[in-house]
Amino acid sequence: MIYRFRVILDNDTEDDIFRDLEIRETDSLEDLHNAITQSFGFDGLEMASFYVSNDAWEQGEEISMFDMSEGGNKVRLMNETIINDVVHEAQTKLIYVYDFLSMWTFLVELAEIVEEAEGTDYPNLMFVHGQIPDSAPEKAFEAEDFGADFNEFDDDVDVDDYDNFDFDENWN
């Protein structure tokens, strides 16, 4: 079967920027990563990850390009993860982050599952809408992103009270 995805640049502007892609359900997430980077004009050389997402677009489990974990914390890798293992009718959304310095963030949603068309090469870029900006959109974080009671300065820590810190102020 062929999965049709809409990949939307997550930006705070009024202009929608998205690509519609077709890919085999048995291809890997690395294949989807390559299709996304090519369709948006990236060179594909930066680090990237997919995150399983729920209907509210909340970031869940990470599926990474490389295993950067230490010790026994095994992570799922794109090249070892088949698309239909993480995306299907009951789980249709992924978040894709490309270039962790610029934080290009995309919302990836399964739009349709269709039969493979004879004579079509996959992955297939079906539709392009909007031009990607020169730099990644800035993320504006609101207090509600951190919970209603969040106050970054309300932590009851006196930074001038060295006696109650758990370190030696004359360490070197």
Side-chain angles (χ1 to χ4, degrees):
M1 299 300 290
I2 299 301
Y3 278 11
R4 289 185 175 160
F5 287 101
R6 175 154 289 174
V7 183
I8 304 167
L9 176 63
D10 185 17
N11 62 12
D12 293 328
T13 67
E14 56 192 60
D15 298 330
D16 290 332
I17 302 168
F18 64 89
R19 308 290 184 260
D20 290 344
L21 302 169
E22 291 181 315
I23 192 167
R24 288 182 179 90
E25 68 175 331
T26 55
D27 284 346
S28 71
L29 281 180
E30 184 177 43
D31 296 323
L32 182 57
H33 152 77
N34 291 332
I36 292 171
T37 57
Q38 290 171 11
S39 72
F40 281 97
F42 296 121
D43 59 19
L45 300 176
E46 302 296 333
M47 287 291 297
S49 286
F50 284 97
Y51 298 88
V52 176
S53 178
N54 60 18
D55 287 338
W57 292 106
E58 294 172 328
Q59 184 173 306
E61 177 190 7
E62 179 180 15
I63 304 168
S64 180
M65 286 180 71
F66 303 105
D67 187 354
M68 304 285 283
S69 64
E70 297 178 10
N73 296 340
K74 183 80 171 124
V75 297
R76 290 173 78 174
L77 300 177
M78 286 184 200
N79 65 344
E80 298 173 351
T81 305
I82 303 304
I83 294 171
N84 66 10
D85 287 344
V86 292
V87 177
H88 40 78
E89 290 93 345
Q91 169 58 55
T92 61
K93 296 180 180 182
L94 297 169
I95 297 171
Y96 173 71
V97 177
Y98 176 77
D99 185 355
F100 288 101
L101 294 177
S102 298
M103 293 298 289
W104 291 97
T105 304
F106 299 87
L107 307 177
V108 181
E109 184 166 17
L110 177 63
E112 191 175 17
I113 301 173
V114 297
E115 295 287 332
E116 187 168 336
E118 186 136 350
T120 302
D121 290 327
Y122 297 100
N124 177 37
L125 177 59
M126 296 173 45
F127 186 75
V128 172
H129 181 81
Q131 291 291 332
I132 192 99
D134 292 334
S135 60
E138 292 287 325
K139 298 288 183 226
F141 295 103
E142 304 294 330
E144 58 265 13
D145 294 338
F146 300 100
D149 298 331
F150 179 76
N151 180 346
E152 65 182 308
F153 301 109
D154 184 23
D155 56 10
D156 297 324
V157 174
D158 181 2
V159 294
D160 296 320
D161 182 10
Y162 294 110
D163 294 332
N164 290 322
F165 281 121
D166 190 23
F167 68 90
D168 181 5
E169 65 184 279
N170 299 315
W171 61 275
N172 62 355

